[in-house]
Amino acid sequence: TASRIKAIRRSLASSTKEFERRFRIPARTMEAYEQGRRRPDAATEVLLRVLEKEPDAVRRALIPKAA
C-alpha cells in the first residue's frame, strides 16, 4: 500500500531525494507510489520488501567493487 511504501522510505531516508541517492529509485517515482498514483512493478515490490527487512544487504549490493 502507499502508506507502507512511505513508511519503508521514511525508515531509511528523511526525503525522497535522499532515498533516490541511497537506493537509486527516482524521487518522483517514490512520490507517485507514496501518493497512490502508481503501483510498483513486481521487481520494485521485491526490492522494497528487501529494503524493509534487510536494508544493509541492498546497500552492500550497491557499493561498487574495487577492480
Side-chain angles (χ1 to χ4, degrees):
T1 65
S3 60
R4 182 166 166 245
I5 292 169
K6 190 174 204 171
I8 293 168
R9 195 263 308 153
R10 281 186 171 170
S11 73
L12 299 168
S14 61
S15 69
T16 55
K17 284 288 191 189
E18 181 183 350
F19 192 86
E20 175 180 19
R21 185 179 52 77
R22 289 183 181 183
F23 300 109
R24 302 182 189 161
I25 299 175
R28 295 195 95 181
T29 300
M30 286 304 294
E31 290 165 1
Y33 295 158
E34 291 180 9
Q35 294 169 6
R37 290 183 283 122
R38 284 183 58 192
R39 290 189 47 131
D41 61 16
T44 304
E45 284 184 17
V46 170
L47 176 58
L48 289 169
R49 252 178 230 225
V50 175
L51 281 167
E52 183 176 36
K53 296 178 187 295
E54 297 289 337
D56 288 336
V58 177
R59 287 184 188 107
R60 285 191 309 272
L62 292 172
I63 295 172
K65 297 209 181 221

